[in-house]
PDB file of all heavy atoms in Angstrom:
ATOM      1  N   ALA A  74      16.883 -15.673  57.568  1.00  0.00           N
ATOM      2  CA  ALA A  74      15.685 -16.461  57.937  1.00  0.00           C
ATOM      3  C   ALA A  74      15.310 -17.439  56.843  1.00  0.00           C
ATOM      4  O   ALA A  74      14.804 -18.550  57.135  1.00  0.00           O
ATOM      5  CB  ALA A  74      14.521 -15.575  58.325  1.00  0.00           C
ATOM      6  N   LYS A  75      15.517 -17.076  55.609  1.00  0.00           N
ATOM      7  CA  LYS A  75      15.129 -17.901  54.488  1.00  0.00           C
ATOM      8  C   LYS A  75      16.289 -18.725  53.922  1.00  0.00           C
ATOM      9  O   LYS A  75      16.115 -19.472  52.978  1.00  0.00           O
ATOM     10  CB  LYS A  75      14.514 -17.068  53.372  1.00  0.00           C
ATOM     11  CG  LYS A  75      13.248 -16.359  53.753  1.00  0.00           C
ATOM     12  CD  LYS A  75      12.717 -15.544  52.589  1.00  0.00           C
ATOM     13  CE  LYS A  75      11.405 -14.846  52.951  1.00  0.00           C
ATOM     14  NZ  LYS A  75      10.835 -14.051  51.800  1.00  0.00           N
ATOM     15  N   ASN A  76      17.484 -18.531  54.492  1.00  0.00           N
ATOM     16  CA  ASN A  76      18.667 -19.235  53.967  1.00  0.00           C
ATOM     17  C   ASN A  76      18.762 -18.997  52.454  1.00  0.00           C
ATOM     18  O   ASN A  76      19.020 -19.913  51.657  1.00  0.00           O
ATOM     19  CB  ASN A  76      18.652 -20.714  54.283  1.00  0.00           C
ATOM     20  CG  ASN A  76      18.978 -20.986  55.729  1.00  0.00           C
ATOM     21  OD1 ASN A  76      19.734 -20.244  56.363  1.00  0.00           O
ATOM     22  ND2 ASN A  76      18.429 -22.053  56.272  1.00  0.00           N
ATOM     23  N   THR A  77      18.554 -17.782  52.058  1.00  0.00           N
ATOM     24  CA  THR A  77      18.561 -17.444  50.638  1.00  0.00           C
ATOM     25  C   THR A  77      19.509 -16.271  50.359  1.00  0.00           C
ATOM     26  O   THR A  77      19.588 -15.358  51.168  1.00  0.00           O
ATOM     27  CB  THR A  77      17.159 -17.050  50.192  1.00  0.00           C
ATOM     28  OG1 THR A  77      16.303 -18.178  50.401  1.00  0.00           O
ATOM     29  CG2 THR A  77      17.121 -16.688  48.711  1.00  0.00           C
ATOM     30  N   VAL A  78      20.209 -16.394  49.253  1.00  0.00           N
ATOM     31  CA  VAL A  78      21.090 -15.281  48.818  1.00  0.00           C
ATOM     32  C   VAL A  78      20.525 -14.773  47.493  1.00  0.00           C
ATOM     33  O   VAL A  78      20.002 -15.499  46.669  1.00  0.00           O
ATOM     34  CB  VAL A  78      22.553 -15.736  48.679  1.00  0.00           C
ATOM     35  CG1 VAL A  78      22.687 -16.806  47.587  1.00  0.00           C
ATOM     36  CG2 VAL A  78      23.469 -14.576  48.426  1.00  0.00           C
ATOM     37  N   TYR A  79      20.666 -13.446  47.295  1.00  0.00           N
ATOM     38  CA  TYR A  79      20.151 -12.816  46.104  1.00  0.00           C
ATOM     39  C   TYR A  79      21.281 -12.112  45.365  1.00  0.00           C
ATOM     40  O   TYR A  79      22.274 -11.700  45.951  1.00  0.00           O
ATOM     41  CB  TYR A  79      19.090 -11.783  46.500  1.00  0.00           C
ATOM     42  CG  TYR A  79      17.960 -12.303  47.296  1.00  0.00           C
ATOM     43  CD1 TYR A  79      17.959 -12.223  48.713  1.00  0.00           C
ATOM     44  CD2 TYR A  79      16.894 -12.956  46.676  1.00  0.00           C
ATOM     45  CE1 TYR A  79      16.895 -12.733  49.456  1.00  0.00           C
ATOM     46  CE2 TYR A  79      15.840 -13.488  47.434  1.00  0.00           C
ATOM     47  CZ  TYR A  79      15.865 -13.367  48.817  1.00  0.00           C
ATOM     48  OH  TYR A  79      14.820 -13.882  49.555  1.00  0.00           O
ATOM     49  N   LEU A  80      21.077 -11.956  44.093  1.00  0.00           N
ATOM     50  CA  LEU A  80      22.018 -11.168  43.261  1.00  0.00           C
ATOM     51  C   LEU A  80      21.135 -10.218  42.427  1.00  0.00           C
ATOM     52  O   LEU A  80      20.467 -10.607  41.493  1.00  0.00           O
ATOM     53  CB  LEU A  80      22.863 -12.025  42.333  1.00  0.00           C
ATOM     54  CG  LEU A  80      23.897 -11.264  41.561  1.00  0.00           C
ATOM     55  CD1 LEU A  80      24.998 -10.722  42.497  1.00  0.00           C
ATOM     56  CD2 LEU A  80      24.549 -12.139  40.499  1.00  0.00           C
ATOM     57  N   GLN A  81      21.123  -8.943  42.867  1.00  0.00           N
ATOM     58  CA  GLN A  81      20.403  -7.940  42.149  1.00  0.00           C
ATOM     59  C   GLN A  81      21.321  -7.384  41.051  1.00  0.00           C
ATOM     60  O   GLN A  81      22.424  -6.922  41.321  1.00  0.00           O
ATOM     61  CB  GLN A  81      19.997  -6.790  43.039  1.00  0.00           C
ATOM     62  CG  GLN A  81      19.281  -5.646  42.341  1.00  0.00           C
ATOM     63  CD  GLN A  81      17.954  -6.051  41.775  1.00  0.00           C
ATOM     64  OE1 GLN A  81      17.153  -6.736  42.421  1.00  0.00           O
ATOM     65  NE2 GLN A  81      17.653  -5.596  40.547  1.00  0.00           N
ATOM     66  N   MET A  82      20.913  -7.517  39.830  1.00  0.00           N
ATOM     67  CA  MET A  82      21.725  -7.105  38.675  1.00  0.00           C
ATOM     68  C   MET A  82      21.056  -5.973  37.934  1.00  0.00           C
ATOM     69  O   MET A  82      19.953  -6.117  37.401  1.00  0.00           O
ATOM     70  CB  MET A  82      21.924  -8.297  37.730  1.00  0.00           C
ATOM     71  CG  MET A  82      22.493  -9.553  38.426  1.00  0.00           C
ATOM     72  SD  MET A  82      22.871 -10.881  37.272  1.00  0.00           S
ATOM     73  CE  MET A  82      21.222 -11.328  36.697  1.00  0.00           C
ATOM     74  N   ASN A  83      21.685  -4.802  37.971  1.00  0.00           N
ATOM     75  CA  ASN A  83      21.194  -3.622  37.301  1.00  0.00           C
ATOM     76  C   ASN A  83      22.140  -3.229  36.170  1.00  0.00           C
ATOM     77  O   ASN A  83      23.258  -3.669  36.110  1.00  0.00           O
ATOM     78  CB  ASN A  83      21.053  -2.462  38.317  1.00  0.00           C
ATOM     79  CG  ASN A  83      20.108  -2.765  39.446  1.00  0.00           C
ATOM     80  OD1 ASN A  83      19.081  -3.485  39.241  1.00  0.00           O
ATOM     81  ND2 ASN A  83      20.347  -2.217  40.598  1.00  0.00           N
ATOM     82  N   SER A  84      21.620  -2.376  35.290  1.00  0.00           N
ATOM     83  CA  SER A  84      22.391  -1.857  34.202  1.00  0.00           C
ATOM     84  C   SER A  84      23.088  -2.992  33.455  1.00  0.00           C
ATOM     85  O   SER A  84      24.287  -2.932  33.129  1.00  0.00           O
ATOM     86  CB  SER A  84      23.467  -0.859  34.697  1.00  0.00           C
ATOM     87  OG  SER A  84      22.828   0.232  35.342  1.00  0.00           O
ATOM     88  N   LEU A  85      22.345  -3.994  33.146  1.00  0.00           N
ATOM     89  CA  LEU A  85      22.917  -5.218  32.500  1.00  0.00           C
ATOM     90  C   LEU A  85      23.436  -4.906  31.113  1.00  0.00           C
ATOM     91  O   LEU A  85      22.890  -4.080  30.398  1.00  0.00           O
ATOM     92  CB  LEU A  85      21.825  -6.306  32.432  1.00  0.00           C
ATOM     93  CG  LEU A  85      21.613  -7.025  33.747  1.00  0.00           C
ATOM     94  CD1 LEU A  85      20.274  -7.749  33.747  1.00  0.00           C
ATOM     95  CD2 LEU A  85      22.727  -7.995  34.048  1.00  0.00           C
ATOM     96  N   LYS A  86      24.510  -5.616  30.765  1.00  0.00           N
ATOM     97  CA  LYS A  86      25.182  -5.406  29.488  1.00  0.00           C
ATOM     98  C   LYS A  86      25.142  -6.750  28.729  1.00  0.00           C
ATOM     99  O   LYS A  86      25.113  -7.811  29.347  1.00  0.00           O
ATOM    100  CB  LYS A  86      26.611  -4.965  29.690  1.00  0.00           C
ATOM    101  CG  LYS A  86      26.768  -3.724  30.537  1.00  0.00           C
ATOM    102  CD  LYS A  86      28.260  -3.434  30.796  1.00  0.00           C
ATOM    103  CE  LYS A  86      28.424  -2.180  31.641  1.00  0.00           C
ATOM    104  NZ  LYS A  86      29.845  -1.905  31.906  1.00  0.00           N
ATOM    105  N   PRO A  87      25.281  -6.717  27.410  1.00  0.00           N
ATOM    106  CA  PRO A  87      25.370  -7.981  26.705  1.00  0.00           C
ATOM    107  C   PRO A  87      26.456  -8.904  27.192  1.00  0.00           C
ATOM    108  O   PRO A  87      26.276 -10.151  27.160  1.00  0.00           O
ATOM    109  CB  PRO A  87      25.601  -7.519  25.236  1.00  0.00           C
ATOM    110  CG  PRO A  87      24.956  -6.174  25.172  1.00  0.00           C
ATOM    111  CD  PRO A  87      25.218  -5.575  26.519  1.00  0.00           C
TER     112      PRO A  87
END
Side-chain angles (χ1 to χ4, degrees):
K75 296 181 179 180
N76 284 331
T77 299
V78 65
Y79 304 97
L80 185 68
Q81 178 66 43
M82 305 185 295
N83 298 328
S84 302
L85 283 161
K86 304 175 180 180

